Amino acid sequence: MNPAPLQLHDIHLPQPVSWWPPAPGWWLVAVLLLVLVLGGLWWRHRHRCRTYRRVALSRLADLENRYHQAPQDVALITELSRLLRHMAVLHYPSRDCAGLQGEAWLKFLDQPFGDAPFSSGIGQALAQGPYQRQSHVEDPASLVILCRRWINQLPPVKPRRTP
């Protein structure tokens, strides 16, 4: 046995893997991360823009609970009117709603609805009720539901920045 000299070559290593361009999986991770960040920012902005609405609905639920504990029609009408006026001034320009009274106020409240529930329905109690010593609401639950409908249709408000 005569071993012939082997024709061996030196081992050549491949070029090192470069960090650019990244593998397709990393592109997917980057896109998903970007979508999550943008979605979170959008949700935060939307949540902040609807803060007034959530507070108003909470106050409305509180008014409804207080009315069920001690039914006083005049107090309910007064507080509902105050709440709707406050929300109107927050969500619309003051010149459009701040000084409205009576029928003009009811027509303003009717704007988002096609059936005019304030000027020709249960909402009429809000025009004169707060200014009377005694007032009677035929169906206070329907009035609260109508006010809830009006609050739910309010446009979002851009949050105010504090200095």
Side-chain angles (χ1 to χ4, degrees), residues 102-111 115-125 127 146:
E103 196 64 32
W105 170 241
L106 296 179
K107 287 192 184 299
F108 175 80
L109 294 174
D110 280 336
Q111 286 176 357
D115 56 347
F118 285 99
S119 58
S120 64
I122 189 77
Q124 289 177 336
L146 177 61

Side-chain angles (χ1 to χ4, degrees), residues 13-80:
L13 295 176
Q15 294 291 330
V17 178
S18 105
W19 65 274
W20 192 262
W26 288 112
W27 284 109
L28 183 63
V29 168
V31 168
L32 286 175
L33 186 63
L34 182 65
V35 167
L36 284 174
V37 167
L38 291 176
L41 290 173
W42 172 80
W43 183 85
R44 180 176 171 250
H45 176 73
R46 185 171 185 257
H47 183 75
R48 289 183 67 205
C49 288
R50 295 181 182 340
T51 299
Y52 291 130
R53 182 182 304 168
R54 282 192 308 279
V55 170
L57 290 172
S58 173
R59 284 185 56 199
L60 186 63
D62 185 46
L63 286 173
E64 193 173 18
N65 289 338
R66 283 190 292 168
Y67 180 78
H68 289 305
Q69 291 172 356
Q72 296 177 1
D73 288 347
V74 175
L76 177 69
I77 293 171
T78 302
E79 290 299 318
L80 287 175

